[in-house]
Amino acid sequence: MSVNEQAVRAASAAHPRHPNSPATYGTAGFRAHSDTLDSTMFRVGLLAALRSKKLAGQTIGVMVTASHNPEQDNGVKLVDPHGEMLHSSWEAYATQLANAPSDEALVATLKQVVQVAEVDLSQPAKVVYGHDSRPSCRTLVRAVVDGLTALDAEQVNAGLVTTPQLHYLVRCYNTAGTPQAYGEPSVEGYYQKLATAWTTLATGRHLLPALTVDCANGVGAPKLKEFLKVVGQDLLPVITVRDNHTLAGNLNMNCGADFVKTQQCPPRNVELVPWQRYASFDGDADRIVFYYADGTGTFHLLDGDKIAGLAAGFIMDLVKDSGLGVKVGVVQTAYANGASTKYLTEVLGVPVQCVPTGVKHLHHAAESFDIGVYFEANGHGTVLFSPSTLAAINTHTPASPSAAAALANLRALVDLINQTVGDAISDMLLVEVVLLHRQWTPAQWDAAYTDYPNRLVKVLVQDRHAFTTSDAERKVDTPAGLQDKIDEAVKEVVGGRSFVRPSGTEDCVRVYAEAATRSTADELANKVAGIVHSLAGKGPKPASFF
Ligand code: G16
C-alpha cells in the first residue's frame, strides 16, 4: 500500500507553509506564534497517523498547547502509546515534514519517512487529540484533523483538556482490557481514579486549611473545578484564583507557575496571607509550584526541587514501613538548586541523577529506578513505579498492622500519581497528601533545607541553535570560548555556579546562576548574561537582565 498522494497534496494545499513556521521539534514539540503554525499542525496530523500505523494501530496522542508561553503562541506535541513523549527517533521526521517547502516536497518527504521508518501503511491508525484554552486552538486543531483525515486515521476528539489528561487518555486507550489497564479512557475516569485515591489517603485525617490555587487563567481552572466537584470540597478544601480561562489576554499573564518561579514572587495582585499555602499551575496544568509568606511578608518558593524532596522522603518512609525491599531514586536537571541535591544525597541518602532539560530525558532516567521521582525545578515532574515494584506492591504480605497501613497508602499513591507525565492536579494531591499525613505547615516543609540564592535570565540571541551543550547542559560547547568566560566569572563568586543553554520552547538562551548570597547570585547572572549578549546577542544590551 502506498501514500494516497492526491489526497495528501490536495489537503496540504489548504495549509500552505508559513515562512516563519517553526523549524525544529524541540523540548516540548513545536512552539511559535500561532499565526505561523497552520501547516505545522496539518503535518503533525500526518505524522501522528504514521506513528500509529508504525505501532500497529496503537493510539497516539496529539496535544495542541504552548503551555507556559504567552497567549499569542501555540504549539503541538505527540504522545506515544504509554503516555510518554514521542520517541526521540521520530523527532527528526517531525522536523523534516514541518520544513518541506511545498505540497510536492511534503508528499516526497512523507514517502521518505514511510520508507525509512518502515511504516506499513495497511495498518490502522488511531489518534486522540486535545487542546488547551488558547483562542487559536480552534483553527489549529482543524488543521491537525485534516492531516489525520488525509491518512484515514480513526480520530477521538478529547476537546479542552489539560496536557496530562491527554497523556492519561492515551495510556488508557492502549492498556484497556490488559493486566496493565491504566483506567477509564475518559476525563471522568481520570477524576474518579484520582478522587478515589485521594479519599483513601485523606479519610480520617485532620484537614489542613484550604490551599489557594492560581490556575494561570488556563485550562487548569475549569478542570480543577470539575475535579473538586467529584472529590468534594469537604475532603479537599481548595480556593481557585486566576481562574478565568475565557477572557482574552489573560493566560499566563503575571501569574502561573512560570511567572512565580522565574520572578520569585506571588502572582500579581494576589495578597498572601502569612503562613497559608498557595500553588500555581502553568497554562496547560502540567507544572505546579507552591509558596507562602512568612510573618514578615517575605515570599518563600517551594518549587519542583522542594516537591521532589518532600515526595521522595515520604515514599521512602512508606517503603521502609511496609517492608518492601525496593529502592527510590531522584532525577533532576542542572537547574536543580545545589542545596536540594545536597539534601537529597546527604540527608535522605537517595541516589540522584542529572539529565538535560526536557521531560523525556527525566522520564527515561526515572524508569531505571524501582521508584523514580523526577522533578524539574520549574515544577514539572512525577513519580514512576517500575513494573516489578508495582507487582511487589500488589503482592507483598505485610508483617504487621503498621506495615499493612503503609502498604495500603503506597497502593493508593500509585493511583493518585499520574505516571504518564508531570500533572499539576495530581502533583497538587501528592503534596497535599504528604502535608496532611505529616500535619506540616508549608514552613515545616520548607525547613528541610534553604535554597542557595539563584537567578534565571533570558537573553535574546541571533541564533539560539548556535549554542550547544554537554554534561547534562552544565557545559556549553559552542560558541567557542564561552565556557571559559563563564568559568572565569564563576571563580570570582563564593559558592558560584552558572550555565547557559538554548531554550527549546522560546526563541532565547537561558542563563542560570546561583551563589552564596542574593546579590552575588544576581551579579553572576547579569555578568554571564552580559557575556552571552556581547558574544551572540540580538538588539541593544538591556541595562539589567531582570
Ligand atoms: C516544557 C518542557 C519542560 C521544560 C520547559 C522549558 O515545559 O516540557 O521539560 O523544562 O518546557 O524548556 P526550555 O527551557 O527548553 O524552554 P512546558 O511546561 O512549557 O511544556
Side-chain angles (χ1 to χ4, degrees), residues 27-28 31 66-69 77 85 282 284 286-287 335 357-360 362 376 378 380 501-506 510:
T27 320
R31 275 198 202 163
S67 188
H68 73 274
N69 289 46
K77 64 177 179 181
M85 299 290 187
D282 71 341
D284 63 340
D286 63 357
R287 295 193 211 171
Y335 288 116
T357 301
V359 173
K360 64 183 175 208
L362 289 112
E376 294 184 289
N378 63 22
H380 197 139
R501 56 172 287 276
S503 165
T505 61
E506 295 175 65
R510 300 198 199 280

Side-chain angles (χ1 to χ4, degrees), residues 139 205 251:
T139 45
R205 311 242 159 208
L251 179 67

Side-chain angles (χ1 to χ4, degrees), residues 393-413:
I393 289 173
N394 287 328
T395 55
H396 181 69
T397 309
S400 66
S402 64
L407 193 64
N409 286 336
L410 213 42
R411 283 184 185 142
L413 215 53

